[in-house]
Amino acid sequence: MLFCLHKEVPALGPAPLGGSTATSSRLAPPPLNPQTTAARDTVLETQADGVSVFGKSADGRPVLADPKNVAVGPDGKIYTVEGRTSRVTVFNPDGTIAASWGGDGQGDGQFKEPWGIAVAPNGNVYVADTWNHRVQYFDPNGGFIGKWGQLGDAKGRTDTQQGIFWGPRAIAINPAGEVYVTDTGNKRVQVFGLDGSFKRMFGGTGSDPGQFNEQVGLALDGQGNVWIADTWNNRIQKLSADGAPLLQIPVQGGWESQNVTNKPYVAVDAQGRVYATFPEQNRVSVFGPDGQKLKDLTLPGNGSPVGVAVAPDGHVIVADARGNVVDSLPGL
């Protein structure tokens, strides 16, 4: 039997997509420049049902490529990280583009299929540079500030290899400036300071409370608790800031897929309600703080919701990886 391995597959961990995705058949658009006419003409499309769509040009064409995740800045801007073009695109509240930066590569300010993004209280932007196995952070306009992390296999342990990542997928930052990162392939969550200084980690391989199997989405609530999309354990977990298990919400179907492009994310609103994405079913399920399911939200058309965030006004901001746009859904 012969087994062939592509030269771009890293020694540890799954390979990056290298510019392709199973969620969209559109060609990737060229790099954006917010000073160009096309970027200035990007418009906010508002539909009759109250859904607003970010990321379309004046003639209706999507300008994003495989948006994976979203974050809302303190000024109301929407920060979007795109997997296929390996870039960050920032929208003003009126739908125009404020900034765009990145590109495929391993240098400072470049990315390899980034999946996670968060905005710190000071306005700096943190990106889970997934297949460069690191976190990078920038000023609000995309100026590179710093980075940390490298590839490594911790074999599901939480007592070794601090700052080593195997495909980080999500980032969340609390008001005190602690940066939580889902170290997905290593089955753990790591916590850092804003400068990348290590603080603690928790998790580990397994299905017991507090353990993970393909944990992806990560969100923090107003009490500092950690909510995790524990994908292949088919549950959402609520943990303390130090990783102590507090609650489990069973997910009844929708997260079984082994597809590397469709991963679930979570967000929590000011009332403690939890929003979880189901990319292959075009829905965002809403749960109460006690885990009771409240409602399902859907995206326009044949959408694929991946990353999710809740704006201060209660709107649910969703990265539609298939539609190549960002949708803003009315809140509950």
Side-chain angles (χ1 to χ4, degrees):
M1 178 182 293
L2 295 176
F3 179 76
C4 298
L5 190 66
H6 194 282
K7 65 179 180 180
E8 292 185 358
V9 176
L12 296 171
L17 292 182
S20 65
T21 178
T23 58
S24 177
S25 60
R26 294 188 179 94
L27 294 176
L32 292 172
N33 181 341
Q35 303 304 316
T36 65
T37 300
R40 290 198 307 270
D41 287 347
T42 304
V43 298
L44 183 64
E45 180 182 286
T46 302
Q47 302 182 353
D49 57 2
V51 175
S52 297
V53 181
F54 291 80
K56 286 190 176 182
S57 63
D59 62 3
R61 294 179 296 109
V63 301
L64 303 178
D66 188 30
K68 294 294 190 188
N69 221 318
V70 288
V72 181
D75 55 0
K77 292 178 180 176
I78 295 177
Y79 292 75
T80 307
V81 66
E82 301 171 69
R84 191 167 3 126
T85 49
S86 294
R87 70 186 177 197
V88 173
T89 297
V90 187
F91 293 99
N92 293 311
D94 65 0
T96 58
I97 291 177
S100 183
W101 70 85
D104 184 72
Q106 298 177 321
D108 294 346
Q110 295 179 315
F111 308 111
K112 284 286 186 183
E113 197 190 348
W115 275 76
I117 189 165
V119 182
N122 62 8
N124 289 337
V125 182
Y126 288 69
V127 176
D129 187 6
T130 303
W131 300 123
N132 279 326
H133 312 281
R134 65 187 180 183
V135 173
Q136 296 194 69
Y137 58 110
F138 307 85
D139 67 30
N141 297 313
F144 175 80
I145 298 176
K147 62 186 177 183
W148 73 86
Q150 58 181 311
L151 173 63
D153 184 2
K155 302 186 184 304
R157 295 176 58 180
T158 59
D159 60 351
T160 185
Q161 299 203 59
Q162 302 171 355
I164 294 295
F165 295 117
W166 188 354
R169 295 274 188 165
I171 296 182
I173 304 174
N174 67 19
E178 291 186 320
V179 183
Y180 288 71
V181 183
T182 48
D183 184 8
T184 302
N186 281 325
K187 316 298 184 187
R188 61 190 186 178
V189 171
Q190 298 195 60
V191 186
F192 305 88
L194 291 173
D195 61 354
S197 55
F198 177 81
K199 291 182 174 290
R200 60 188 178 276
M201 69 174 85
F202 52 84
T205 303
S207 57
D208 291 340
Q211 296 180 324
F212 306 125
N213 188 8
E214 191 70 4
Q215 81 290 358
V216 179
L218 168 72
L220 305 175
D221 65 22
Q223 289 70 49
N225 298 311
V226 186
W227 294 82
I228 302 285
D230 189 8
T231 310
W232 294 339
N233 280 325
N234 294 294
R235 66 188 178 185
I236 299 167
Q237 291 202 68
K238 177 185 179 182
L239 311 171
S240 72
D242 295 322
L246 301 175
L247 176 70
Q248 298 182 63
I249 303 176
V251 173
Q252 305 296 337
W255 285 1
E256 302 88 354
S257 174
Q258 304 288 309
N259 192 323
V260 298
T261 64
N262 296 334
K263 298 295 182 182
Y265 282 81
V266 291
V268 184
D269 67 15
Q271 288 72 43
R273 294 176 296 224
V274 182
Y275 299 76
T277 63
F278 291 76
E280 295 187 348
Q281 299 180 350
N282 188 24
R283 65 182 169 98
V284 179
S285 290
V286 188
F287 301 89
D290 59 355
Q292 180 182 3
K293 187 173 179 179
L294 303 177
K295 188 176 182 179
D296 282 333
L297 309 174
T298 58
L299 303 188
N302 185 25
S304 178
V306 184
V308 61
V310 181
D313 65 1
H315 277 75
V316 183
I317 314 299
V318 185
D320 180 357
R322 182 178 293 117
N324 290 327
V325 295
V326 171
D327 294 315
S328 174
L329 311 177
L332 298 186

